Amino acid sequence: MMQKVLVYDGSFEGFLSAVFKVYEEKIEHVDIQRETSVQPSFFGNTEEIISNKKHADRVWNGLKKKLTSYGRNQLYYAFLSEMNSVENVLLDYIRQVFASSDTIEKDFSNLTVLKVSKITRSVGREKHRMEAFVRFKLTKDGLYFSNVEPDFNVLPLIAKHFKSRYADQKWVIYDIKRNYGLHYNLDTVETIVMDFPKEFDFTKTSGDFFAEEELAFQELWQNYFKSTNIESRKNMLLHVRHVPKRYWRYLSEKQP
Amino acid sequence: MSFERIKEKLNILADAAKYDVSCSSSGSNRTNKNKGLGDATGMGICHTYTEDGRCVSLLKILLTNHCIFDCAYCVTRKSNDIKRAAFKVQEVVDLTINFYRRNYIEGLFLSSGIFKNADYTMERLVSVAKKLRLEENFNGYIHLKSIPGASDELMREAGLYADRLSVNIEIPTREGLKRLAPDKNREDFIKPMKKVKNEIIQYKAEKKIIKSTPKYAPAGQSTQMIIGASGENDYQIMTASNFFYKKFNLKRVYYSGYVPISYDSRLPQIGSEVPMLRENRLYQTDWLMRFYGFHVHEIVNETHQHLDLDIDPKLSWALRNIHEFPVDVNRADNGMLARVPGLGMTSVYKILHARKFRQLNWEHLKRLGVALNRAKYFIICNSNDFERRDLEPEKIKGFILQNSKSKFRQATSNQLNLFG
Ligand code: SF4
């Protein structure tokens, strides 16, 4: 049997549009792929999916009847993992959801449900870590700026948290791996794409861009971090488990 | 703001506050008001961890390390020859706000040595919190340490601005306290605790009638006990802890393995080891009491006064009560499931859901993430293979220890390890 490859634009809406296509055309053997990570295939025939809000909504509304918000969150979180071929796991999940008369979202003895819940958990952990590890630096124009490189695409998941917490300051959280960010303008949170000057070093706090007192506060924070450590209880293994090294680059307390 | 001066004070006053182990910033429900700064709803966030592995979620400092008392176990004690410093109220406010805006912290934990007298000190702590709330429109988390002996009136005010109040009992027994902290007496701790408890009850009752009643210490109160400074056993410690939970509705009791800081002959000498594993076992016991439905005397009692160091308290309980097992995972209620070694609350939750779909067997349980290497001796499921056939508790313990060595080596951590 020929396998069909559906290529979509990487958005959630695009993914749901692909699912719609699968159902509409009753495609059995299918491989859904993001356009940025298409694997060339000699045996399948490839079709490009154009994001279609109506189609996406149809699928989503259908899911709403079969899944509680818990189950829909599982789907969405897992999708944001951007893991290789996660689309096909999710398609499998969706197929089982539609095929079953019960709500399967909490059947943890079901392999697919379990797989999705595991991926979701990893994404949830990354979300939580970003809420913890974002370090804002005050720029010369009074904007609190932060750059991050999360393992998964969690910006959509943290917007609300930062909006309700920092309601009275302008801020940007920028994902430099995926090249987009969130900008809060004291009113709404918008998605933005920024161009950074060539000489902009994300690990430094250059006086060209950042406020005069910024470095001083970072230094106070570093000092604080050092003074709270109890030498006789030092346990770097535990420390690194909680603050994995890949995050250190942008943590002010970890700067030399 | 002179950064150099502040830096020096911060080094001294953070250093002196670090032995207080309370760090949690959860349990409040203060939402952002009028587009102010901050929000203290939901779970607290650990923004970083110290190199000794403890969570940093609050700016934890003393207002001053001047103190008129001389408690033997405390670095701030009068007779200790150390550098002294004191923050101005406004300095603490500025630090808190600027750290918070940069997402370094969830809020402030403010404690203090006693300068002049209890009320004078408490009044200053309260005015920091008051400034943060009223002038800075700050909705982040504030934890104030009550000064033993502070007046009822100040305790009432403190609770209006703080999310949590605590007063550290430090030494679990009356006799130990007398020996190590001659200036303090137990009643001075109890009185503010009682006051806060009563205020919380009263404000809650009023809130039901009048919606606009302000929040009073929404995250409740907590206390801390130092472990291994004054020779009490685990039974005494957990009994004291249970007493505070019951009597004053405490939200948390913290256990802090004593870090030797003085050559005082009443105390363990400098260089003696911090009892971290014991501390971990006490936290585990505390969890079993608060979340797993255990009564304190099931775990420690007259005949079992010391927690085992080689196995966790739940396993220890199970081995002493082997007649309660095996438990049928497809039938048992959640209370009994939670008592099975190897089953944490997450596993219990998953089992309860999954077994609605089918009878669970070993394969299913493994997939759910159950720690079968321990659980298998205590459960039966939909399968004919039984791992446990009338084994002696000692044998089971031997098997479990054998194949979980690495895990126990890790247990020297002072953060809570999830245990099954
Ligand atoms: S009263 Fe508090 S600060 Fe003063 S010595 Fe005793 S424990 Fe330390």
Side-chain angles (χ1 to χ4, degrees), chain B residues 392-411:
Chain B
E392 292 296 315
E394 271 309 310
K395 274 242 169 66
I396 299 179
K397 179 172 166 179
F399 285 140
I400 290 180
L401 281 183
Q402 230 169 40
N403 57 58
S404 56
K405 276 214 183 78
S406 55
K407 202 177 158 199
F408 279 102
R409 221 173 284 135
Q410 281 189 357

Side-chain angles (χ1 to χ4, degrees), chain A residues 109 165 186 219 228 230, chain B residues 7 35 52 54 106 358:
Chain A
S109 53
R165 170 167 297 215
L186 295 183
E219 211 184 311
T228 50
I230 298 177
Chain B
K7 195 160 98 189
K35 281 215 163 189
D52 59 59
R54 286 168 312 134
E106 293 292 286
R358 58 187 65 79

Side-chain angles (χ1 to χ4, degrees), chain B residues 62 64-78 111-114 145 147-148 170 180-181 183-184:
Chain B
L62 300 188
T64 178
N65 66 341
H66 290 284
C67 191
I68 54 173
F69 282 9
D70 206 33
C71 310
Y73 48 79
C74 175
V75 270
T76 301
R77 70 189 181 281
K78 182 174 61 185
S111 173
S112 183
I114 303 177
K145 181 70 81 57
I147 304 298
E170 306 288 19
L180 297 177
D183 307 314
K184 284 181 177 165

Side-chain angles (χ1 to χ4, degrees), chain A residues 20 32 47 50 80 93 96 111 116 124 129 132 139 158 182 189 237:
Chain A
F20 182 84
I32 304 181
E47 187 173 336
I50 313 233
L80 293 176
Y93 186 89
Q96 293 197 43
L111 275 177
V116 170
R129 279 186 171 146
T139 67
I158 62 175
L182 302 173
V189 178
L237 227 79

